[in-house]
Amino acid sequence: MPIVPLPQGSAEAGQVKAADYEQNLHHTIAEWEGLVGKPPLTFPEAKVQEALLANTVFDLLAIDKIGSDYIENVNKFQYHFVCGGANTGNMTVGLDYMRLHEIAKNASLYFRSLQNPDGSLMMAITSTTAYPYWEVFGYILWVWSRHYQLTRDAGFLREVYPSVQRAMAWEEKIVQTDPLGLMPPTQVGDDAWLKNSHQTGQNMWVLVGLRNAIAMAQGAGNQQDVQRFQAQYQRYWKAFEKQLSTQTDRSGGYIPPSLDRTLKGNNWDNLLTLYPEPLFEPFDPRVTATIRESRATYGEGILGYVYPNAVRKKGDGYIFDTDNTLHYWQSPDNAENELVRDDPRDQELAVKDLYALLLHTTSTHAPQEFGTHPWSSRDYIGDDILPDGASSGKMIEFMRNMLVREYKTDLVLFSAVSPAWMQPGEKIEVNDEPTNFGPVSAVLTAAADGFEIKLSNQFRQSPEHLIIAVPWFYNVESAEADGKPVQISEGKLILSPGTRQLKVAGQIRPGTPEMSFYNAVNDYKREYRKRYEKFLQTGTLDLSEPDEKY
């Protein structure tokens, strides 16, 4: 199907003219039904479920199939490129989470073509002189490791492992060129907007990559590499922790976007404290401070972002735009951290974050990238065409992790659910969702006097614990696993991995907020109307946000 007009009289135009509409319609429907018609995750709320499927479709549509290559692009418009496996890494992992393993595998294998002879992984294959995007190293190793851990495809691991070894050898050399023992300072005119600094998030991605290289070495049975990669990780973590301490001493505990020179900059990958790898303990004070500090920038429930364009001259210099705008595909970072922390307040915030993200999608569920001014015209940057693939990929990851996720050696189910999904008669379904431990199946059925979870997991490697999070709005009276009493421990039900049925007696707590996408839309429209009427009266925009203490 062409996405640009075909030359009149061309062979391709002739094919389109001769095509049978009904036949192609039915073929198209059948193709998409085969891809997304039986998803591994089912949410009992139309907008949530449709957004999951639509964003999967967006990430599939962004792929160019050229010969045997599957090239995942951020989209087919202004971001029609692979982005070094960075943003497209989230998209590829999202496809794995949706059980589209063959497509994810082929897209992952394409990332090998982004590697230089020296082992470095780069943002664009046309650039060999500059390497500002150190995070690509971590992204690609994470994507490769994630596919292997979810599928245990030994053939895939054999194909990528030589590239892993070359990348690790490159990392070992490049850090020796930096006095801090980290990735050298860089200047990226984007994201955190930092100049000539050691970016915190880039170094976090290196740590993520190192951890995943260890996992792949273990999968390959290469004990010598396991030991070498572990030593590289420990050395890098020690250097990172030393420099981070100097910054958090200055910041009051908050992990800032830069590891040196400044405490300023946009919150970016410095938010990746607990996901995609738990680099810190969940309730490390630095994690709490970073969530609190970054959430203070939120507008309309979305992470704040300053795009510092020069707006006018002042003498020989310029005045720069410092207005807060919204950044959609980095907002899930805090939500993922909240899932890992998983206490009642974090659960509630994760659900609020989901509805805030969905609120800012189109009628066909397409997410934006960034640029909207909160409580203003609703306009975004004019050439930033939707959908944004990175936002789509992260949405899929976040929604999947709400229902099923791994934490170290444990499997955690239903980390954060909406009160709307726990109404009597509703079902939340997980059907052969890929995990590190093997396919997971769990059906939660809600009733007026409790809920039941039926499990039929197919573990190839059993988790140490099977953990069910008690919803933050739920009063539990009693619980039984396979007919035996279970006690709640710190808001969680810790079960044997072989458990087949959990019965919980209880009910939704009185006074629980009536949270749903429908209510989120109505609340937003009501708040927007109130601010607009105030603007008409005073001529001033009210950009304040509710004071939600974290």
Side-chain angles (χ1 to χ4, degrees):
M1 185 69 70
I3 60 172
V4 295
L6 298 170
Q8 190 171 6
S10 67
E12 291 84 359
Q15 287 180 309
V16 172
K17 188 175 181 180
D20 180 87
Y21 174 81
E22 288 296 331
Q23 182 180 0
N24 279 277
L25 173 64
H26 293 306
H27 175 73
T28 301
I29 292 171
E31 284 288 314
W32 285 111
E33 281 289 338
L35 289 168
V36 298
K38 295 181 179 179
L41 307 170
T42 303
F43 296 84
E45 188 174 5
K47 173 67 180 184
V48 181
Q49 186 66 19
E50 290 171 8
L52 176 69
L53 301 182
N55 282 278
T56 305
V57 170
F58 297 146
D59 287 356
L60 289 168
L61 288 172
I63 294 173
D64 287 331
K65 187 175 184 299
I66 301 175
S68 60
D69 288 334
Y70 284 64
I71 307 171
E72 181 71 274
N73 303 283
V74 179
N75 61 27
K76 291 288 184 74
F77 305 107
Q78 80 281 10
Y79 289 136
H80 195 171
F81 51 83
V82 73
C83 203
N87 303 3
T88 49
N90 295 110
M91 300 166 73
T92 305
V93 169
L95 295 178
D96 258 330
Y97 285 162
M98 293 301 287
R99 279 204 319 256
L100 298 170
H101 293 311
E102 191 64 22
I103 297 172
K105 172 184 177 178
N106 289 324
S108 300
L109 288 173
Y110 179 77
F111 293 153
R112 292 178 302 170
S113 68
L114 305 179
Q115 190 166 40
N116 281 322
D118 67 354
S120 62
L121 296 158
M122 57 187 179
M123 179 62 81
I125 58 175
T126 55
S127 172
T128 57
T129 58
Y131 194 86
Y133 294 97
W134 305 118
E135 64 266 36
V136 172
F137 167 87
Y139 262 109
I140 292 180
L141 293 183
W142 171 62
V143 171
W144 287 342
S145 175
R146 207 75 202 94
H147 181 75
Y148 171 69
Q149 290 181 74
L150 293 170
T151 64
R152 290 299 192 268
D153 184 340
F156 170 82
L157 184 58
R158 282 194 297 272
E159 289 191 74
V160 300
Y161 196 69
S163 295
V164 175
Q165 292 173 309
R166 289 196 295 272
M168 291 296 287
W170 168 82
E171 185 274 341
E172 202 166 24
K173 291 177 182 177
I174 192 70
V175 297
Q176 295 175 23
T177 67
D178 182 68
L180 300 181
L182 301 170
M183 287 294 162
T186 188
Q187 177 173 317
V188 182
D190 193 352
D191 51 56
W193 285 99
L194 295 168
K195 182 178 181 180
N196 298 329
S197 73
H198 292 84
Q199 291 203 16
T200 309
Q202 289 185 328
N203 285 281
M204 284 181 163
W205 267 115
V206 172
L207 290 165
V208 169
L210 292 170
R211 288 174 68 117
N212 280 277
I214 294 167
M216 286 186 279
Q218 290 169 334
N222 190 326
Q223 193 57 37
Q224 185 176 357
D225 277 356
V226 170
Q227 293 175 1
R228 182 163 65 91
F229 296 171
Q230 285 175 335
Q232 285 178 250
Y233 177 82
Q234 293 301 327
R235 189 214 58 76
Y236 204 99
W237 174 259
K238 185 177 179 180
F240 173 78
E241 182 75 285
K242 179 180 178 181
Q243 190 60 28
L244 178 62
S245 294
T246 66
Q247 283 290 75
T248 52
D249 286 347
R250 296 173 58 205
S251 70
Y254 157 65
I255 300 173
S258 177
L259 288 172
D260 55 6
R261 295 186 58 247
T262 181
L263 297 178
K264 296 182 179 179
N266 286 309
N267 289 297
W268 199 253
D269 289 340
N270 58 303
L271 303 181
L272 302 179
T273 53
L274 305 178
Y275 181 86
E277 290 287 334
L279 300 178
F280 299 81
E281 288 301 311
F283 291 93
D284 185 313
R286 295 170 295 181
V287 174
T288 302
T290 304
I291 296 175
R292 181 176 60 247
E293 186 80 12
S294 57
R295 288 194 74 94
T297 72
Y298 277 34
E300 301 182 9
I302 301 296
L303 180 70
Y305 179 78
V306 174
Y307 194 66
N309 284 326
V311 291
R312 63 181 180 274
K313 290 200 71 171
K314 183 179 181 182
D316 294 332
Y318 294 90
I319 301 295
F320 293 92
D321 186 356
T322 58
D323 287 348
N324 205 36
T325 65
L326 307 182
H327 204 292
Y328 303 97
W329 70 265
Q330 288 292 17
S331 295
D333 293 347
N334 270 338
E336 294 282 11
N337 292 334
E338 289 151 7
L339 293 181
V340 176
R341 288 161 67 92
D342 211 19
D343 68 2
R345 178 60 173 153
D346 287 297
Q347 286 187 32
E348 182 179 6
L349 285 173
V351 175
K352 285 185 174 181
D353 289 347
L354 173 67
Y355 287 131
L357 288 163
L358 294 177
L359 179 67
H360 291 86
T361 59
T362 67
S363 60
T364 55
H365 320 295
Q368 300 180 49
E369 181 190 13
F370 77 101
T372 305
H373 287 79
W375 307 115
S376 182
S377 64
R378 306 293 305 130
D379 289 337
Y380 61 98
I381 294 175
D383 59 354
D384 201 16
I385 302 171
L386 309 183
D388 182 76
S391 297
S392 293
K394 284 196 167 184
M395 281 282 290
I396 295 168
E397 290 178 63
F398 174 36
M399 294 167 75
R400 179 262 192 184
N401 290 336
M402 291 180 80
L403 302 189
V404 54
R405 62 181 176 85
E406 305 88 346
Y407 182 70
K408 298 183 179 179
T409 58
D410 292 336
L411 177 66
V412 187
L413 300 180
F414 308 113
S415 291
V417 298
S418 170
W421 310 342
M422 296 294 288
Q423 299 301 314
E426 299 290 10
K427 284 186 179 182
I428 309 171
E429 297 186 56
V430 177
N431 181 29
D432 286 341
E433 169 60 29
T435 74
N436 294 1
F437 309 107
V440 168
S441 295
V443 179
L444 186 156
T445 304
D449 58 353
F451 62 88
E452 177 186 58
I453 299 175
K454 290 186 176 179
L455 301 148
S456 51
N457 302 316
Q458 302 171 52
F459 295 136
R460 56 174 168 259
Q461 175 186 339
S462 183
E464 186 174 353
H465 301 107
L466 175 61
I467 299 174
I468 309 291
V470 175
W472 51 275
F473 51 84
Y474 216 83
N475 282 329
V476 174
E477 296 168 0
S478 63
E480 289 186 351
D482 293 337
K484 297 179 180 179
V486 181
Q487 300 300 314
I488 296 175
S489 175
E490 298 182 344
K492 297 174 178 60
L493 295 162
I494 301 175
L495 311 179
S496 162
T499 300
R500 291 297 175 180
Q501 184 182 53
L502 174 70
K503 289 186 175 181
V504 175
Q507 58 279 318
I508 294 175
R509 189 175 297 121
T512 294
E514 295 184 5
M515 297 172 69
S516 67
F517 176 72
Y518 177 82
N519 286 337
V521 170
N522 286 335
D523 290 346
Y524 177 79
K525 289 164 68 176
R526 188 163 42 249
E527 183 63 26
Y528 196 95
R529 167 60 64 181
K530 184 175 71 174
R531 292 174 188 245
Y532 179 65
E533 290 175 350
K534 183 177 180 180
F535 169 73
L536 293 178
Q537 294 168 4
T538 66
T540 302
L541 281 173
D542 179 5
L543 300 179
S544 64
E545 294 292 330
D547 185 16
E548 288 194 343
K549 299 294 184 184
Y550 186 84

